[in-house]
Amino acid sequence: KESQRLGAGAVNMWRKVLEDFTFSDGTFVPKGNLIAVANFAMHHDEENYSDAFSFDGFRFSKMREKELEGYSKHQMVTLSDEYIVFGYGKHACPGCFFAVNELKALFVHTLLNYDVAFMDDGPRPGHCWFNLSVSPDPRASVMFRKRRFVT
């Protein structure tokens, strides 16, 4: 969930305005415009996440331990207005449960069966931005070696 929070791009939940709309603060959006949510700003907001620009692989685990209101608030598939990688509300991604389970299965299979390292044991390469999208650096070299199990 933390990797997804930091690498989700600049905006999410694109919508086409179907009719003229005025928000309660007076902001007017004409029919036909495209609008989106600034998820980069949300996911890097210090009010939502302490040390928001740093990776903390246990961030959401620690948040679950601190919260008394329920265990599920900070699970990867839990939708909230603070974490919108899968969207929010009635138009949220219906496949998020399937996608997360597939990611977990792939991750576990890789950890159990392969040694993984960056070339020359270097640090994690940075992100590559293209317009509003972000992706891993395509020039990075990742090495996989099948593990040998001794019986």
Side-chain angles (χ1 to χ4, degrees):
K1 187 169 180 173
E2 178 72 347
S3 292
Q4 204 173 26
R5 179 186 74 84
L6 292 174
V11 294
N12 193 5
M13 299 189 333
W14 288 91
R15 300 291 183 261
K16 183 175 183 177
V17 179
L18 299 178
E19 57 186 53
D20 290 351
F21 186 82
T22 304
F23 288 91
S24 60
D25 69 353
T27 303
F28 175 73
V29 185
K31 176 182 177 178
N33 277 10
L34 291 176
I35 59 173
V37 177
N39 64 294
F40 182 89
M42 292 174 67
H43 293 162
H44 291 81
D45 187 341
E46 294 284 336
E47 288 186 26
N48 294 330
Y49 306 102
S50 61
D51 199 14
F53 283 86
S54 296
F55 178 84
D56 177 0
F58 291 99
R59 179 185 306 272
F60 291 96
S61 176
K62 293 174 197 172
M63 291 168 82
R64 284 192 303 268
E65 289 172 3
K66 288 181 185 176
E67 302 259 335
L68 298 175
E69 62 190 64
Y71 180 72
S72 65
K73 182 177 179 185
H74 298 293
Q75 296 295 321
M76 190 161 179
V77 294
T78 303
L79 305 175
S80 77
D81 58 357
E82 298 166 358
Y83 183 82
I84 59 166
V85 173
F86 290 114
Y88 189 63
K90 67 181 182 178
H91 296 291
C93 177
C96 67
F97 299 99
F98 177 75
V100 167
N101 283 324
E102 289 294 302
L103 286 170
K104 288 177 181 179
L106 177 65
F107 190 63
V108 168
H109 176 78
T110 302
L111 286 176
L112 290 175
N113 294 293
Y114 295 92
D115 293 320
V116 182
F118 291 115
M119 188 67 80
D120 302 322
D121 287 325
R124 180 196 179 280
H127 290 105
C128 283
W129 283 87
F130 180 74
N131 291 329
L132 300 173
S133 299
V134 65
S135 67
D137 187 342
R139 298 164 297 188
S141 293
V142 181
M143 301 181 299
F144 291 84
R145 180 178 59 205
K146 180 86 172 143
R147 290 190 177 169
R148 296 190 182 133
F149 295 99
V150 179
T151 56

